[in-house]
């Protein structure tokens, strides 16, 4: 089934700006300027993809922009072509405030070619000053080394900034106009599942929609799902989802007939949650036109505990399989579904997915294991990346099966975009996962919980978005890597808590300073009980995205040379980058307008 959210995706607009003086100046620059735009468009198309897997489409202005009339013509074309990101390029001086992009809600950047023949860098400085003065923050891109006028290559440092800006800008544009679907309400008093429409509307340009969990019961009881797909899914589950040990006591073990019924309900829940998010044309054929539409949701959350799970099977299979990059229909883009309707963690998962096109791991930040504690409990001395201890990321609702780390890049564990995952890797992820009867005391209504252990050695980034009264949203980021432990040590530590959930041992990269003084301090400064984990070190991309949305970052371990924010941020302080970020975000306010 085609995902309707992948239709008419936003494009990246390239604006070639030029010195508008005719009579010799402009004519001498036309070819060079337009070629610069084309080379940037090719770079982007070759390196940035939509979540659907298709190369990103770029739109170049019909003509070089030398003044207000051509800027307006470019804006009209961009509006017709659904451009959501704006990148201006030039090798020369141009009239700044006459040629700049004036759309306040589209992320924008300017590349001023560093060449001595013409003052592209002078235009860059002038137009960035204009952007700052008008309250339209723009990213400035200026190469470190001088190039010759005829040089058609894009230097590595320029290339890195262009692609980082485009990934973050595209994430911003793709979110806009979509929905977060709350399936249920607040779970067990968790603050993140108190869904805040003001945040989603003002910062992400999204709406919040809500359905009661009784909608699942209604659709299950009345058969409002694709029956043929249900039979296909059940057959796939029986063939590929291995059942694991039942950790329940003899008094709380559930009979086989009940477990089989729980499987059927769990599969139906997965189908229904997907249909609630994006709709399903099959339902239209069944005379269910309203249900066929869905809620245009790019992310969602399921409350589950406790009102649903005290009576009916939990949402663990639903959450795990939807967040995974494959199912009974084959490989496909993951659906973002937050456990316990933690919408703020759902937003983090959404950020990570749109920046990397890979599945995200939803997890509790459960425990800091110090070297002393590991030695005492398991008799094991930690070394390597784990020498300072590590965090136990274990999910109170299952994570994407991609999180097992059974996919690989250059021989190292990874999570990959669905179009790069091989059939062999799908089988490895499934083989590494068992499905255990849920612990009855936790889930009186039953259900199946996935269990795997993430392979060690995978570079990873965890992040968390928190809402603070009087401040608004703030993001924290920690880059590091997953840790492999000897089997005996893993078993001892893992079974001290619920053994039916996925486990990731994660060691953040420490700096010896501030919140990253050591691993304990990272844990001690984490702002909530959940995090979202991405494969790879993507903290710099998250920082760029946050600055576009005007969300300050209050804790990260990203090297300063990799941080890329709008040039106006420099005016709020260059000695204290973190403080400047807070001041700039407060000054410019949410991308889509004030909250409340």
């Amino acid at each position: 089934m085609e995902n309707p959210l992948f239709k008419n995706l936003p494009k990246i607009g390239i604006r070639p700006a030029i010195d508008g003086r005719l009579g010799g100046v402009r004519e001498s620059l036309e070819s060079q300027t337009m070629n610069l735009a084309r080379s940037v468009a090719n770079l982007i198309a070759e390196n940035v993809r939509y979540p659907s897997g298709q190369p990103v489409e770029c739109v170049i202005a019909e003509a070089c922009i030398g003044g207000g009339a051509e800027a307006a013509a470019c804006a009209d074309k961009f509006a017709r072509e659904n451009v959501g990101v704006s990148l201006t390029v030039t090798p020369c001086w141009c009239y700044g405030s006459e040629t700049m992009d004036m759309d306040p809600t589209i992320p924008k950047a300017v590349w001023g070619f560093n060449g001595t023949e013409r003052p592209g860098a002078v235009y860059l400085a002038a137009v960035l000053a204009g952007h700052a003065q008008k309250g339209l923050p723009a990213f400035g891109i200026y190469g470190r080394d001088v190039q010759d006028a005829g040089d058609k290559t894009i230097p590595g440092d320029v290339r890195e900034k262009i692609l980082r800006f485009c990934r973050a800008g595209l994430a911003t544009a793709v979110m806009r106009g979509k929905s977060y679907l709350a399936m249920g309400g607040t779970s067990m008093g968790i603050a993140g599942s108190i869904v805040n429409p003001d945040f989603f509307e003002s910062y992400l340009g999204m709406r919040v929609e809500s359905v009661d969990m009784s909608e699942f019961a209604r659709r299950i009881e009345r058969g409002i799902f694709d029956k043929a797909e249900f039979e296909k899914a059940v057959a796939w589950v029986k063939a590929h989802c291995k059942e694991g040990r039942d950790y329940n006591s003899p008094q709380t073990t559930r009979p086989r007939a009940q477990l089989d019924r729980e499987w059927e309900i769990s599969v139906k829940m997965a189908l229904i949650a997907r249909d609630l998010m994006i709709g399903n044309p099959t339902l239209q054929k069944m005379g269910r036109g309203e249900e066929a539409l869905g809620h245009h949701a790019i992310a969602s959350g399921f409350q589950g505990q406790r009102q649903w799970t005290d009576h009916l099977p939990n949402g663990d299979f639903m959450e795990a399989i939807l967040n995974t990059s494959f199912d009974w229909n084959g490989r496909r883009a993951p659906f973002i579904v937050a456990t316990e309707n933690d919408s703020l963690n759902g937003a983090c998962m959404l950020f990570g997915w749109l920046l990397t096109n890979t599945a995200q791991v939803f997890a509790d930040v459960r425990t800091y294991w110090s070297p002393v504690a590991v030695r005492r409990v398991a008799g094991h001395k930690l070394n390597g990346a784990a020498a300072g201890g590590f965090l136990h990321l274990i999910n109170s609702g299952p994570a994407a099966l991609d999180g097992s780390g059974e996919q690989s890049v250059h021989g190292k564990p990874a999570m990959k975009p669905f179009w790069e995952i091989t059939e062999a890797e799908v089988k490895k992820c499934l083989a590494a996962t068992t499905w255990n009867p849920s612990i009855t005391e936790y889930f009186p209504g039953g259900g199946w919980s996935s269990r795997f252990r993430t392979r060690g050695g995978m570079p990873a980034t965890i992040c968390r978005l928190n809402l603070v009264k009087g401040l608004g949203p703030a993001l924290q980021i920690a880059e590091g890597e997953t840790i492999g432990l000897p089997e005996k040590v893993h078993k001892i530590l893992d079974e001290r808590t619920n053994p039916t959930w996925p486990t990731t041992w994660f060691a953040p990269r420490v700096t010896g300073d501030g919140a990253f003084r050591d691993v304990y301090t990272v844990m001690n400064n984490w702002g909530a009980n959940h995090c979202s984990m991405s494969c790879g070190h993507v903290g710099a991309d998250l920082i760029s995205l946050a600055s576009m949305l005007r969300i300050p970052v209050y804790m990260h371990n990203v090297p300063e040379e990799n941080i890329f924010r709008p040039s106006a941020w420099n005016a709020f302080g260059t000695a204290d980058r973190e403080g400047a970020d807070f001041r700039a975000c407060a000054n410019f306010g949410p991308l889509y307008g004030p909250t409340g």
Side-chain angles (χ1 to χ4, degrees):
M1 184 175 72
E2 184 181 3
N3 191 329
L5 299 182
F6 294 161
K7 294 179 180 179
N8 193 31
L9 286 164
K11 302 179 180 69
I12 294 176
I14 312 297
R15 308 175 72 256
I18 198 168
D19 189 324
R21 287 173 286 195
L22 288 167
V25 176
R26 176 165 180 157
E27 291 88 342
S28 68
L29 294 164
E30 290 278 5
S31 178
Q32 181 187 2
T33 303
M34 190 57 79
N35 285 338
L36 200 64
R38 294 188 183 110
S39 66
V40 168
N42 289 336
L43 171 71
I44 295 168
E46 291 169 2
N47 291 278
V48 184
R49 291 204 185 196
Y50 292 118
S52 63
Q54 299 302 309
V56 166
E57 291 188 55
C58 293
V59 176
I60 301 175
E62 294 287 354
C64 292
I65 301 167
E70 287 159 324
C74 176
D76 287 344
K77 179 177 182 178
F78 283 7
R80 293 193 304 271
E81 296 280 351
N82 191 30
V83 165
V85 184
S86 169
L87 174 59
T88 299
V89 300
T90 187
C92 61
W93 169 254
C94 318
Y95 298 168
S97 61
E98 296 179 16
T99 58
M100 64 189 286
D101 183 343
M102 297 286 284
D103 191 315
T105 61
I106 290 183
K108 47 187 63 64
V110 183
W111 175 26
F113 183 84
N114 185 3
T116 56
E117 290 84 354
R118 298 283 184 174
V122 179
Y123 168 72
L124 175 64
V127 78
L128 291 176
H131 279 287
Q133 188 168 326
K134 296 175 182 294
L136 301 170
F139 289 74
I141 302 171
Y142 178 54
R144 178 177 290 272
D145 299 315
V146 172
Q147 295 179 257
D148 297 330
D151 188 348
K152 297 181 181 179
T153 63
I154 301 177
D157 59 333
V158 172
R159 172 191 173 99
E160 181 179 359
K161 288 183 176 179
I162 288 174
L163 295 179
R164 176 156 293 142
F165 165 76
C166 288
R167 286 191 297 266
L170 193 66
T172 301
V174 170
M175 284 187 283
R176 185 178 183 181
K178 310 296 193 306
S179 299
Y180 176 87
L181 177 62
M183 298 182 290
T186 303
S187 174
M188 302 183 294
I190 294 172
S193 65
I194 303 172
V195 184
N196 188 309
D198 283 349
F199 163 71
F200 280 94
E201 292 167 11
S202 296
Y203 285 90
L204 308 187
M206 294 171 57
R207 73 174 72 219
V208 171
E209 300 209 358
S210 178
V211 296
D212 189 85
M213 289 184 294
S214 62
E215 178 65 6
F216 282 84
R218 183 181 80 92
R219 294 195 185 202
I220 290 170
E221 292 172 11
R222 301 190 182 190
I224 308 174
F225 53 86
D226 185 333
K227 311 298 192 307
E229 186 178 7
F230 168 70
E231 296 298 333
K232 178 182 180 182
V234 167
W236 182 86
V237 166
K238 289 179 178 178
H240 299 290
C241 295
K242 297 185 304 179
E243 292 187 12
R245 173 183 167 187
D246 190 339
Y247 285 88
N248 286 291
S249 66
Q251 295 76 23
T252 56
T253 298
R254 306 188 294 277
R256 184 69 238 181
Q258 182 176 339
L259 293 175
D260 290 340
R261 177 176 175 272
E262 291 168 13
W263 265 128
E264 291 191 358
I265 294 176
S266 295
V267 172
K268 290 175 184 177
M269 289 172 65
L271 296 175
I272 290 166
R274 183 203 62 196
D275 293 351
L276 282 166
M277 289 181 69
I278 66 168
N280 188 338
T282 299
L283 302 184
Q284 176 73 47
K285 298 173 185 176
M286 294 166 55
R288 296 287 184 173
E290 183 179 357
E291 292 90 338
L293 294 174
H295 290 266
H296 200 57
I298 196 171
S300 68
F302 181 68
Q303 176 194 333
Q305 298 185 72
R306 290 189 34 220
Q307 286 72 22
W308 180 269
T309 58
D310 278 5
H311 181 56
L312 290 163
N314 62 29
D316 288 11
F317 175 79
M318 170 188 73
E319 293 160 3
I321 204 64
L322 289 179
N323 279 308
T324 296
S325 299
F326 54 83
D327 60 17
W328 44 87
N329 291 320
R331 291 162 290 173
R332 47 118 178 104
F335 294 90
I336 300 301
V337 184
T339 297
E340 294 157 351
N341 195 27
D342 185 345
S343 62
L344 297 180
N345 221 50
C348 290
M349 296 168 73
L350 180 58
F351 294 170
W353 171 49
L354 293 177
L355 289 171
T356 66
N357 290 325
T358 62
Q360 305 295 296
V361 172
F362 182 111
D364 284 355
V365 185
R366 181 62 65 97
T367 310
Y368 162 62
W369 276 103
S370 69
V372 171
V374 173
R375 191 79 175 260
R376 176 181 62 83
V377 171
H380 178 68
K381 183 179 179 181
L382 297 176
N383 52 44
F390 50 82
L391 304 180
H392 190 180
L393 307 183
I394 180 169
N395 208 349
S396 55
L401 273 58
D402 306 62
S404 62
E406 293 294 335
Q407 301 159 25
S408 62
V409 174
H410 304 307
K412 295 192 68 174
M415 294 189 283
K416 302 195 295 190
F418 75 89
W419 58 87
E420 294 180 5
I421 299 171
T422 66
E423 286 298 331
E425 288 171 329
V426 169
K427 292 178 181 177
K428 286 181 179 179
C429 290
L430 288 165
T433 305
T434 59
W435 297 88
N436 302 65
S438 62
I439 302 300
T440 308
E441 289 92 341
Y442 272 104
F443 302 113
W448 292 87
S449 296
S450 61
R451 186 188 191 202
F452 60 73
R453 173 177 30 159
T454 305
R455 291 172 63 202
M458 180 170 72
T461 304
I462 63 172
C463 68
R464 172 67 195 186
L465 187 67
N466 298 298
L467 283 179
V468 181
K469 188 175 179 66
L471 170 67
L475 184 68
Q476 50 190 167
I477 301 165
E479 295 183 339
E481 69 174 80
T482 62
I483 298 299
L485 295 175
E487 181 63 33
K488 179 182 176 181
V489 178
H490 164 76
K491 181 178 175 65
I492 291 171
L493 302 187
D494 196 43
E495 294 193 358
R496 286 174 68 96
T497 184
N498 191 320
T500 68
W501 295 336
T503 275
T504 302
W505 308 112
F506 173 75
R509 186 177 66 246
V510 296
T511 64
D513 184 53
F516 289 88
R517 182 170 61 250
D518 52 30
V519 180
Y520 168 79
T521 309
V522 174
M523 176 76 175
N524 206 33
N525 280 276
W526 206 249
N529 54 311
H530 292 149
C531 75
S532 174
M533 188 182 82
S534 297
C535 177
H537 292 155
V538 297
D541 285 353
L542 283 165
I543 288 173
S544 292
L545 173 59
S547 68
M548 291 178 183
L549 303 172
R550 318 289 160 70
I551 297 173
V553 178
Y554 72 95
M555 172 181 166
H556 72 81
N557 58 350
V558 177
E560 184 170 349
E561 61 270 19
N562 294 341
I563 296 173
F564 189 37
R565 292 184 173 117
S567 65
W569 265 236
N570 295 326
F572 293 89
T574 56
D576 174 15
R577 296 290 186 181
E578 184 174 294
D581 185 30
F582 274 79
R583 291 185 288 274
C585 289
N587 178 74
F588 292 113
L591 180 59
Y592 301 106
T595 61

